[in-house]
Amino acid sequence: MAHLSEETLTLLALGETEDAQDQQHVASCPDCAAELASLERVVRAGRAEPPVLTDPGPGVWAAIHAELGLSAEVAADPLAGARGGARGDVPDDASDDAADEAPDDATSHRTGTPADDGAGHGGATVVDLDARRSRPRRGVPYPLAAAAAAAALFVGGISVWGAQRVGLEPDPTVLATAELEPLAGYTARGSAEVDERPDGTRQLVVRTDPADVDGFKEVWLLAPDAQRMVSLGVMAGDEAVFVLPENLDVGEFPVVDVSNEPIDGDPTHSGDSIVRGVLDA
């Protein structure tokens, strides 16, 4: 069974197409259904409303103050005024935590306090880093902060991806289109179009219904008499994009042909065409 292309599944996940045949295929193909469900989860995450950020409560600054062993001069919550409270108010339990974290008065290793080095050189600030590293972490939810940072990066990446997928990139200019009709022995139909990208490159976009093939599908551009042809490559799914050579005159080879090619090592056209149509500028 031929699976839907990544482009088709992406459009289904974004809700940009409601093709009945594609939906029927997903309903009958567990692999495509699983891939579509995964893409839909990504889309929902990208489109979800971001969480509303609020000012931290006074206990947060108290915990930071205690964790870093800051001096009493900076014990006041710097956001207290913005919340309408007194800037100097610190919760009792936070004060207790700060007291628990403060070093003993008998030691000279006190943050922000002049210490005597024994030679009469007072005024130097000495910080006991080993003691600070050994303090238990209290009040600061580091795992939650890391998770929030990761979530922000994820949502930001989804936003960029979504912007690219939903059409914020410049649309290509359609130069020609063709309806692909089934040939003898097949019922599949399809379409093709020649697009010109903003950078000037041209590409042929081919879409077909699923078709049972013995080997693989190959896309060709044929001259009107079908005596000359150019192979563009293998069509792995039901949709494929081929970059056209700069010197290829589509007017000279206007017939789009998708063939059923056996795996026999013969590079020529098998003569077994699935669909065919003429490009109309």
Side-chain angles (χ1 to χ4, degrees):
M1 175 187 295
H3 298 298
L4 295 180
S5 66
E6 292 182 0
E7 291 82 357
T8 300
L9 289 171
T10 300
L11 291 175
L12 286 171
L14 290 170
E16 295 186 3
T17 178
E18 297 181 357
D19 187 275
Q21 290 183 334
D22 291 342
Q23 293 175 344
Q24 290 174 359
H25 177 85
V26 170
S28 61
C29 178
D31 291 340
C32 289
E35 182 69 16
L36 177 60
S38 178
L39 290 172
E40 288 175 337
R41 287 194 293 271
V42 175
V43 171
R44 286 196 297 271
R47 290 176 173 173
E49 291 293 332
V52 178
L53 301 180
T54 59
D55 291 338
V60 174
W61 175 249
I64 295 175
H65 183 276
E67 171 67 20
L68 298 180
L70 302 179
S71 64
E73 286 77 4
V74 293
D77 182 359
L79 295 179
R83 288 192 297 267
R87 293 184 58 85
D89 293 343
V90 178
D92 294 339
D93 55 348
S95 301
D96 294 341
D97 288 343
D100 292 342
E101 294 291 340
D104 189 271
D105 291 341
T107 180
S108 64
H109 302 302
R110 181 176 304 164
T111 303
T113 304
D116 194 333
D117 61 2
H121 301 104
T125 299
V126 182
V127 178
D128 189 343
L129 296 180
D130 291 335
R132 178 170 296 176
R133 293 191 189 100
S134 65
R135 294 172 186 156
R137 298 186 180 274
R138 302 169 57 177
V140 181
Y142 291 102
L144 291 180
L153 290 175
F154 173 76
V155 172
I158 288 298
S159 299
V160 173
W161 173 84
Q164 293 174 343
R165 294 302 306 174
V166 300
L168 293 185
E169 294 180 342
D171 291 332
T173 301
V174 179
L175 302 179
T177 61
E179 294 296 326
L180 305 182
E181 301 294 336
L183 275 73
Y186 297 96
T187 59
R189 296 179 178 274
S191 64
E193 67 181 44
V194 177
D195 296 339
E196 184 177 49
R197 305 297 301 173
D199 61 3
T201 59
R202 297 174 304 158
Q203 61 186 22
L204 179 71
V205 182
V206 182
R207 303 177 181 88
T208 68
D209 298 332
D212 293 331
V213 295
D214 300 328
F216 59 91
K217 293 189 292 185
E218 188 168 0
V219 177
W220 307 75
L221 287 181
L222 282 59
D225 59 4
Q227 298 304 305
R228 295 176 302 134
M229 59 192 69
V230 177
S231 173
L232 295 181
V234 175
M235 186 174 182
D238 300 328
E239 181 175 346
V241 179
F242 303 93
V243 177
L244 299 177
E246 292 183 4
N247 58 350
L248 176 62
D249 185 356
V250 178
E252 187 178 354
F253 298 92
V255 180
V256 179
D257 179 280
V258 180
S259 64
N260 178 8
E261 296 292 334
I263 305 176
D264 56 4
D266 186 351
T268 62
H269 195 291
S270 65
D272 184 10
S273 295
I274 303 170
V275 292
R276 184 179 294 177
V278 180
L279 289 167
D280 184 15

